[in-house]
Structures are given as structure tokens and as C-alpha cells.
Amino acid sequence: MFYIYSMHFELTEEHLMIRQAARDFAQTELKPGVIERDEHQKFPAEQIKKLGELGFLGMMVSPEYGGSGMDAISYAIVMEELSKVDASASVVVSVNNSLVCYGLEKYGNEAQKQKYLKPLAQGQVIGAFCLSEPEAGSDATSQHTTAIDMGDHYLLNGTKNWITNGSTASTYIVMAQTDSSKKHRGINALIVEKGMEGFTVGNKENKLGIRGSDTHSLMFTDVKVPKENRIGEDGFGFKFAMATLEGGRIGIASQALGIASGAYELSVQYAKQRKAFNKTLADLQAIQFKLADMATEIEAARLLCYRAAWLKDNDQPYAQAASMAKLFASETAMRTTVEAVQIHGGYGFVKEYHVERLMRDAKITQIYEGTSEIQRIVISRGVLK
Ligand code: CAA
């Protein structure tokens, strides 16, 4: 498939201002304490509250529903800047914006928008997107969580795994099977509130990376979810999840871009200061070539992220573009952070220099919101259409 579009390579004044605001926030609010939060798996609660006050939790939601009314390029910019410093905080921003607010604004009804979207977009509460299960990660159609139609409500039973914002969210969008004979067309997306009887939050996962983020399993036992909490028509849940994940992949692609550019910037700085063989590292061609490769890949990843965001902003199909951005940016994040640790040598292996954390954080970008293999499936389907 070939895209025909005109694209400007310059950011607008507004984009530049947003980038500066996110950059300042990352340096002044996220950087202090980021190592400690990673070490102790501490959720960045105060920082998320402030991000909500700045309008970064409902960036693309219309002001009518409490959002900032920004475009998807602004969102990609903010995700990059925050992720340079703290990917545990930026994943909260991504899930709330893309998987929760976007889905509610696009597919929710007016009452759902008033009740659930507004506080989410204003950052008063945060949300979670609950698709993955112990036996349904990549194979998302095989949902074992059930939502039995009881007339005026659904009876929800099952377990969800690896849920970002698992214990800190107030509003959960849960995908569940209502009619298994209809396979994925029998899945519904339900809005579940924390505190509903029968809903319990399981253990927190002890993770390799993004350790400050709050990842839990969730259990539902005979939870009564009112019918009015179903998003869209009966059986729309799988399409809801897929359509929502398209935008989510722009967010995670931009997160991966930020992790890569954060590690690259630290490497450039280090290479200019550190002396070896009577020179700075920056004088050594072995290091110059590494930095050149990092810079090139990061620029390519950024263009793919902006392109996917631009297509979304212009109401053009963007599923493949988002998957290309996520695939390439996440692989760039992995390669770049491994090289950043190598450039830093022994210092790269200790926590104070930040690059080992960025390397651990990079790995999840190849896994969540669809593994690299899932992105290749989405891309190749478009290619072979
Ligand atoms: N928008 C709307 N509908 C879509 C769609 C989209 N982007 N993609 C697919 N669909 C529809 C199809 O049209 C089809 O509908 P019909 O049968 O009615 O025509 C239906 O969905 C099924 O589609 P497929 O046949 O393509 O389904 P599949 O079983 O082959 O799977 C898949 C497709 C791409 C592998 C998909 O299962 C997938 O994306 N899996 C990965 C799931 C994932 O990303 N999970 C992440 C969890 S969330 C997370 O990580 C959040 C976090 O914490 C950060």
C-alpha cells in the first residue's frame, strides 16, 4: 500500500511550546527520584497528579469533555520527552490518553462521557485497559473472562493479567466474552469501577523494567456491571480494543523513541567528557560511529511516529503506520540502549548513570500493546492486501 499525503517537516510554534513544557517537567519533576522509584517500585503518584493538572492525561480529548484538545503529534512529542527520563510515568500517560480516554470519546455514549471521560481527561482519576489474560496476550480474541447477559446487567467473571495502573486506576475498561458461539464478535467492552463488589486487585508484578509503573492482575467474581456501562453495540468489544490499540501503538512507539533518545543524549554528553587513551571518547571513531548510527535510527523512528500521528490527525487509516512506528522505534530503543550502556562502560552498568534503567525499560516496548511479531502481522496484512 502506498500513501499519498503532504507532510511538513517543521513543528508548529504550539508543538515547540508543548515540547519545552514536557522537557522542563521531565527534568524538574521526573528526574529527581527516578532511580529510587525504579529501585523500590514506587508509583510516581505526585508526578501523575501534576501531569493531570497540566492537561497531559487527556491531551487529545475535546475541551468539552475536560481535555486539552491537542493533536496526536503533540501527544507523540510529550511521550518522547517524558520517556527520555521516566518511562514508568509515561506509560501512565499513554494508557490514560490512548487506551482509555480516546476509546471513551470515540465510542462511548454521552452519559459515559459525562460520567467517566471528564474526570479521566481532567486527570482527577486514571484509567486502565484490561484485555490481556493468563492465556490471551497476543491471541486477544480468545477471551476467557465472561460477561453473561442478565437483562439489566452483565455478570462479570474472570482474571486479567499485566494490567497497567492495576491498583491506581479508578475506571477500568474490561473486555469479556458474552457469547462464545460468536467468537470475537461476542466480546463486549465494559466500564468497571473500582469498588464494585466482587472486583479485587491481585499482586503487583515485580518487573524487569518500568518498575515504577503499577502492574497487577485483576480478579472479577460475579461483578454486576450495569448494561449502560457497555461501550458500543453488543459484540463491539473486540473491534473497540483493536481500534483503540491502533492509537496506543503511536503512544508506545513514541515512548520507545523517548527511551532511545534519552539514552543517546546521555551517551553524547558522556562521550564528550570521558577521557581514555589521552582523548575524549568523542574523539574515537569507534564511539563516533556508534553515535552516528544511534542518531540516524532515532531520527527515522521519530519520522515514523510523527507520520502515524499525522495520519491519525488527518483521519486517514493509520493501523499499519502505527505498527511500523512501534516496531521500528521499539527495536531502535533496544539497540540504542544496549549501545549506550556499552559506551558508558562500567559506569553504564550502575544505576546512577541512568542508561541501565533505560535499557531495562526499552524491553517492554517490544512486548506491550502487541509484541514486535504482532506489529509484523498487522504490517504484512496491509502489504499483502
Ligand atoms: N480496528 C477495528 N477493527 C479491527 C481492527 C482495527 N484496527 N483490527 C482488527 N479488527 C477487526 C477485524 O475487522 C475483524 O472483524 P470481523 O471478523 O468482524 O471482520 C476482527 O477485528 C478480528 O480481526 P482479525 O481477524 O485480524 O483477528 P486476529 O485474531 O487475526 O488477531 C491480532 C489480530 C492483530 C493478532 C490481534 O489479536 C492483536 O492485535 N493482538 C495483540 C493484542 C495486544 O496488542 N494486546 C496488548 C494488551 S494492552 C496493553 O499492553 C496495554 C498496556 O498495559 C500498556
Side-chain angles (χ1 to χ4, degrees):
M1 182 197 256
F2 296 95
Y3 293 101
I4 300 170
Y5 52 87
S6 70
M7 188 170 166
H8 298 287
F9 287 89
E10 258 174 47
L11 296 178
T12 63
E13 277 299 310
E14 202 187 339
H15 289 145
L16 293 174
M17 275 167 56
I18 291 162
R19 184 172 72 184
Q20 194 57 50
R23 201 170 272 179
D24 292 345
F25 186 88
Q27 288 304 318
T28 57
E29 302 285 345
L30 295 179
K31 198 167 177 194
V34 66
I35 294 173
E36 199 203 350
R37 291 194 298 276
D38 171 74
E39 178 95 12
H40 301 294
Q41 300 193 81
K42 191 165 176 272
F43 184 76
E46 273 170 47
Q47 292 79 359
I48 295 301
K49 189 167 173 283
K50 288 183 184 167
L51 283 164
E53 286 159 7
L54 283 173
F56 285 163
L57 293 184
M59 288 189 66
M60 293 165 289
V61 174
S62 133
E64 190 189 343
Y65 297 112
S68 306
M70 296 183 203
D71 60 8
I73 293 190
S74 303
Y75 169 54
I77 290 170
V78 167
M79 281 301 298
E80 177 180 353
E81 292 305 323
L82 301 180
S83 307
K84 282 180 183 177
V85 176
D86 188 354
S88 295
S90 73
V91 70
V92 181
V93 174
S94 183
V95 167
N96 206 69
N97 273 291
S98 295
L99 300 186
V100 184
C101 287
Y102 172 77
L104 277 171
E105 185 168 30
K106 179 139 176 128
Y107 301 108
N109 62 34
E110 188 55 30
Q112 291 167 348
K113 288 181 201 180
Q114 293 296 340
K115 184 170 179 191
Y116 296 109
L117 177 59
K118 266 192 178 172
L120 284 159
Q122 287 165 340
Q124 291 166 9
V125 296
I126 57 172
F129 177 86
C130 314
L131 177 66
S132 304
E133 297 188 353
E135 289 174 63
S138 292
D139 181 11
T141 53
S142 82
Q143 295 285 304
H144 291 282
T145 297
T146 54
I148 305 303
D149 189 339
M150 305 296 282
D152 65 341
H153 67 272
Y154 289 99
L155 204 58
L156 184 66
N157 279 287
T159 300
K160 293 288 173 182
N161 262 26
W162 310 294
I163 304 303
T164 303
N165 303 338
S167 76
T168 44
S170 297
T171 304
Y172 299 75
I173 300 182
V174 181
M175 269 46 75
Q177 186 81 53
T178 294
D179 184 346
S180 58
S181 70
K182 292 185 184 160
K183 302 191 172 153
H184 64 271
R185 293 181 191 155
I187 292 173
N188 279 312
L190 305 178
I191 305 168
V192 176
E193 293 175 23
K194 179 179 261 162
M196 281 183 169
E197 206 181 326
F199 172 21
T200 48
V201 176
N203 290 339
K204 184 170 177 162
E205 301 292 351
N206 185 0
K207 308 191 297 287
L208 171 75
I210 55 161
R211 287 170 57 79
S213 90
D214 174 40
T215 311
H216 287 257
S217 54
L218 305 176
M219 276 77 74
F220 304 98
T221 310
D222 288 340
V223 180
K224 284 185 183 172
V225 184
K227 265 278 172 67
E228 68 241 29
N229 281 24
R230 186 186 72 213
I231 302 174
E233 294 300 303
D234 184 31
F236 180 65
F238 189 73
K239 287 193 181 180
F240 168 85
M242 290 299 109
T244 305
L245 277 165
E246 278 183 18
R249 288 168 185 163
I250 298 177
I252 298 304
S254 308
Q255 178 185 58
L257 166 66
I259 293 171
S261 47
Y264 161 76
E265 286 173 11
L266 288 168
S267 301
V268 170
Q269 214 177 307
Y270 183 79
K272 286 181 178 169
Q273 287 163 3
R274 169 80 170 158
K275 295 240 168 63
F277 307 105
N278 297 322
K279 294 173 176 176
T280 63
L281 292 190
D283 291 323
L284 302 172
Q285 199 177 49
I287 302 297
Q288 292 167 359
F289 281 11
K290 282 189 198 297
L291 294 173
D293 286 346
M294 288 160 127
T296 306
E297 288 192 34
I298 287 168
E299 201 54 47
R302 188 175 291 116
L303 288 173
L304 284 174
C305 288
Y306 287 2
R307 173 176 169 261
W310 184 90
L311 288 168
K312 181 169 186 285
D313 284 333
N314 286 278
D315 294 324
Q316 298 199 33
Y318 65 93
Q320 285 169 61
S323 285
M324 283 179 180
K326 183 176 180 293
L327 174 63
F328 188 77
S330 61
E331 308 230 324
T332 297
M334 210 58 246
R335 276 192 295 271
T336 304
T337 54
V338 167
E339 287 293 52
V341 172
Q342 192 67 21
I343 290 170
H344 282 74
Y347 292 106
F349 207 62
V350 295
K351 296 196 185 289
E352 289 89 303
Y353 283 75
H354 299 281
V355 286
E356 65 80 36
R357 185 186 71 259
L358 291 167
M359 184 179 81
R360 288 185 284 104
D361 288 350
K363 187 63 203 165
I364 193 62
T365 66
Q366 294 180 307
I367 298 172
Y368 58 19
E369 301 201 21
T371 59
S372 295
E373 292 71 29
I374 292 291
Q375 308 316 319
R376 288 186 173 98
I377 290 175
V378 175
I379 298 162
S380 61
R381 282 179 179 177
V383 167
L384 297 169
K385 199 150 69 180

